């Protein structure tokens, strides 16, 4: 299956597009964008009223190739010809118009957001290499993949309504709590999962076969991604569907003050608790037992027939026609769980101009669940220089798939711009490419 989407989704230049707006959402100028990290931050608004015009964050990461590798030839082949499983994530978030304001000890906020994700999880390199390079003679290879190999994509919209309150405030201490309710508008979804694949790959007479193989396979899709997951515009044209889901963010913050200024602040939040149900005419969520010995060919399943496939519907139908699938479950319900995560951070104003943040993002979900939107784990130290309304930060992060990254972020008043991988990308050893920017103002 020469799926060019495998190349496209890993190409930083495409960036349909982990941790969005990292650095900006811990800036000392607290605004609407901070509520995407922790709704309790609204009680720390920099201004009485904050208006967020727009913000866009685009991220691509993987665990195999560096940024410069994507400008070489045969990227797809080299990605899967290396040892070890392939993990990759393409994520985009657009935070649209929003407003937040304070009334005594209360604070309120609202904003619109859209999301698009593509996720590759634990793809077995020898197996995928055999599929996408089925016209190349390969040596016999044993496949023993115990986990769930997932390829999934989805897009959805949100309307976020937040409320925060100061629970305790003294001369030196302040505690806030906040909650965000998310009205969810699922757009399109597609997932292919191969659980516990065991078998052999052989090249016989110029044809590549999967033989003596068993697995549990899931195909779940709704909307345009079922028809073509190779077209990048399909992820953006279905950002907002009908209202069909609800989510919640919960958060708290603590501030220690010195000389009427915040000296140390800590916050924690659990975000994206909830589900949404995708509904389209082509909804399908089917799980199959796979056995290559049922193909009718003594050599096994012919992999060459999947060349050029870019549709989940077509891929599933080819396998059905091959006789290798036995039904296990069949439903039209595509109910997908949000990427629930824990965020925790500490902000320390070391001096008037030098600030230091520590930031953690930890997934709280099962990434192998076929109806789970996944996210990555991240830990970062963010040194920051602040001179009046100007800030410059340089996040130093360890990411789940792309390992170490270093970047730079700038803020001037309400305008922010940055990349958490810019420095390591320029050093030609980054496995992630990202950029974010936006504009807000307050009065």
């Amino acid at each position: 299956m020469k799926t060019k989407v495998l190349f496209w989704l890993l190409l930083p230049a495409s960036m349909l597009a982990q941790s969005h707006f990292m650095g900006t959402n811990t800036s000392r100028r607290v605004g609407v964008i901070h509520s995407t990290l922790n709704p309790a931050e609204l009680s720390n608004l920099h201004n009485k009223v904050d208006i967020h015009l727009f913000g866009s964050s685009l991220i691509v990461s993987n665990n195999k190739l560096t940024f410069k590798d994507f400008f070489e030839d045969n990227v797809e082949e080299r990605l899967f010809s290396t040892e070890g499983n392939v993990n990759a994530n393409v994520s985009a978030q657009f935070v649209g118009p929003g407003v937040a304001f304070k009334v005594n000890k209360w604070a309120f906020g609202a904003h619109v957001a859209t999301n698009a994700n593509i996720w590759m999880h634990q793809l077995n390199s020898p197996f995928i290499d055999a599929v996408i390079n089925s016209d190349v003679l390969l040596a016999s290879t044993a496949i023993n993949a115990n986990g769930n190999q997932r390829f999934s994509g989805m897009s959805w919209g949100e309307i976020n309504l937040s409320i925060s309150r100061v629970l305790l405030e003294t001369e030196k201490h302040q505690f806030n709590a906040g909650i965000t309710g998310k009205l969810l508008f699922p757009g399109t979804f597609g997932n292919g999962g191969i659980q516990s694949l065991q078998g052999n790959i052989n090249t016989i007479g110029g044809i590549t076969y999967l033989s003596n193989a068993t697995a549990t396979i899931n195909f779940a899709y709704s909307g345009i991604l079922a028809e073509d997951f190779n077209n990048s515009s399909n992820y953006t044209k279905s950002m907002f569907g009908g209202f069909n889901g609800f989510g919640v963010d919960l958060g708290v913050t603590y501030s220690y003050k010195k000389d009427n200024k915040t000296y140390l602040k800590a916050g924690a939040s659990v975000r994206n608790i909830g589900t949404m149900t995708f509904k389209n005419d082509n909804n399908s969520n089917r799980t199959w037992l796979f056995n290559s010995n049922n193909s009718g060919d003594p050599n096994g399943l012919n992999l060459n027939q999947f060349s050029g496939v870019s549709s989940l519907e077509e891929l599933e139908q080819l396998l059905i026609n091959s006789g290798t699938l036995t039904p296990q479950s069949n439903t039209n319900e595509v109910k997908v769980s949000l990427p629930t995560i824990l965020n925790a951070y500490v902000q320390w104003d070391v001096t008037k101009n030098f600030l230091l943040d520590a930031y953690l993002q930890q997934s709280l979900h099962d990434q192998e669940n076929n109806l789970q939107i996944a996210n990555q784990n991240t830990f970062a130290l963010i040194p920051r220089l602040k001179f009046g309304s100007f800030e410059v930060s340089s996040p130093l992060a360890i990411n789940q798939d792309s390992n170490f990254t270093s970047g730079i972020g700038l803020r001037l008043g309400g305008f922010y711009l940055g990349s958490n991988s810019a420095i390591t990308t320029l050093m030609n050893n980054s496995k992630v490419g990202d950029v974010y920017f936006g504009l807000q103002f307050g009065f």
Side-chain angles (χ1 to χ4, degrees):
M1 181 172 58
K2 278 192 172 302
T3 50
K4 293 182 180 179
V5 69
L6 296 176
F7 167 75
W8 172 84
L9 69 86
L10 291 171
L11 180 62
S14 299
M15 281 208 179
L16 191 160
Q18 318 178 2
S19 182
H20 290 288
F21 303 105
M22 188 174 67
T24 289
N25 55 19
T26 55
S27 165
R28 299 310 187 263
R29 185 206 178 280
V30 178
V32 171
I33 196 67
H34 288 63
S35 68
T36 64
L37 174 67
N38 186 342
E41 286 288 358
L42 291 181
S43 292
N44 300 319
L45 280 177
H46 185 74
N47 296 290
K48 186 85 172 180
V49 177
D50 186 76
I51 306 294
H52 188 270
L53 297 181
F54 67 90
S56 184
S57 176
L58 316 169
I59 306 171
V60 176
S61 70
N62 79 104
N63 66 334
K64 288 295 189 74
L65 303 181
T66 63
F67 189 87
K68 68 176 182 179
D69 291 330
F70 288 94
F71 298 95
E72 304 292 336
D73 295 330
N74 304 317
V75 172
E76 202 172 35
E77 288 81 356
R78 291 190 296 113
L79 178 66
F80 292 102
S81 62
T82 57
E83 294 183 359
N85 293 337
V86 173
N87 295 312
N89 182 31
V90 181
S91 183
Q93 185 175 70
F94 178 78
V95 179
V99 61
F101 58 93
K102 293 189 291 187
V103 180
N104 299 321
K105 291 187 176 184
W106 293 91
F108 305 88
H111 71 270
V112 177
T114 57
N115 305 269
N117 285 347
I118 303 174
W119 182 262
M120 294 170 60
H121 175 69
Q122 296 296 309
L123 296 189
N124 182 272
S125 293
F127 171 64
I128 300 299
D129 188 38
V131 174
I132 65 176
N133 294 307
S134 56
D135 55 345
V136 178
L137 298 179
L138 300 171
S140 179
T141 304
I143 303 297
N144 184 14
N146 292 320
N148 189 18
Q149 302 180 61
R150 289 186 61 197
F151 173 83
S152 59
M154 70 290 299
S155 62
W156 74 96
E158 304 175 2
I159 296 177
N160 294 265
L161 305 173
S162 304
I163 184 170
S164 176
R165 178 175 169 79
V166 178
L167 300 180
L168 173 67
E169 185 173 18
T170 67
E171 182 180 348
K172 291 187 176 182
H173 307 283
Q174 180 176 324
F175 288 94
N176 306 334
I179 183 172
T180 294
K182 298 171 177 279
L183 306 179
L184 304 175
F185 299 83
T188 184
F189 178 82
N191 179 82
I194 306 175
Q195 177 77 45
S196 301
L197 176 63
Q198 313 287 327
N200 295 281
I201 294 172
N202 303 288
T203 299
I204 302 173
I207 298 177
T208 302
Y209 292 95
L210 180 62
S211 61
N212 299 318
T214 59
T216 300
I217 297 179
N218 172 265
F219 288 104
Y221 46 78
S222 175
I224 198 168
L225 285 185
E227 302 168 5
D228 188 355
F229 57 77
N230 194 33
N231 188 344
S232 61
S233 65
N234 287 346
Y235 294 83
T236 56
K237 66 176 59 171
S238 301
M239 287 289 195
F240 256 90
F243 169 60
N244 210 350
F246 187 75
V248 175
D249 295 350
L250 303 171
V252 293
T253 65
Y254 163 74
S255 300
Y256 175 73
K257 301 178 182 180
K258 182 188 294 186
D259 299 326
N260 294 322
K261 293 183 179 180
T262 299
Y263 173 70
L264 185 71
K265 183 169 69 173
S269 64
V270 179
R271 298 172 46 217
N272 298 324
I273 306 168
T275 61
M276 55 185 166
T277 301
F278 289 79
K279 286 191 175 181
N280 285 281
D281 293 338
N282 64 344
N283 263 34
S284 179
N285 177 14
R286 295 192 281 190
T287 300
W288 307 85
L289 296 180
F290 170 78
N291 191 324
S292 65
N293 292 335
N294 295 333
S295 67
D297 188 325
N299 295 318
L301 178 66
N302 181 349
L303 296 180
N304 295 54
Q305 65 182 304
F306 300 106
S307 178
V309 172
S310 61
S311 162
L312 287 174
E313 289 178 320
E314 181 184 0
L315 177 58
E316 184 178 35
Q317 191 58 52
L318 282 172
L319 286 170
I320 293 174
N321 295 342
S322 73
T324 59
L325 298 183
T326 302
Q328 187 177 38
S329 66
N330 184 356
T331 178
N332 290 328
E333 183 179 68
V334 182
K335 188 175 183 179
V336 178
S337 298
L338 294 177
T340 307
I341 56 175
L342 168 69
N343 285 122
Y345 53 94
V346 176
Q347 302 174 343
W348 178 26
D349 289 18
V350 183
T351 69
K352 177 182 178 181
N353 302 116
F354 177 66
L355 321 171
L356 183 64
D357 304 338
Y359 170 87
L360 171 70
Q361 175 177 288
Q362 177 67 47
S363 297
L364 299 178
H365 52 257
D366 180 6
Q367 297 180 353
E368 297 200 351
N369 184 337
N370 286 305
L371 297 181
Q372 171 69 63
I373 301 174
N375 211 321
Q376 293 204 30
N377 300 324
T378 299
F379 175 76
L381 291 176
I382 310 173
R384 189 187 311 268
L385 294 176
K386 180 178 180 294
F387 302 95
S389 61
F390 175 74
E391 286 184 8
V392 57
S393 60
S394 182
L396 308 171
I398 300 293
N399 303 294
Q400 176 180 330
D401 289 336
S402 51
N403 297 323
F404 177 75
T405 61
S406 176
I408 188 168
L410 303 172
R411 179 184 69 82
L412 181 59
F415 174 74
Y416 55 89
L417 168 69
S419 169
N420 294 319
S421 61
I423 295 176
T424 43
T425 296
L426 291 175
M427 296 170 61
N428 288 327
N429 63 354
S430 178
K431 295 178 182 177
V432 59
D434 78 293
V435 63
Y436 65 83
F437 59 92
L439 182 63
Q440 56 190 346
F441 65 91
F443 56 88

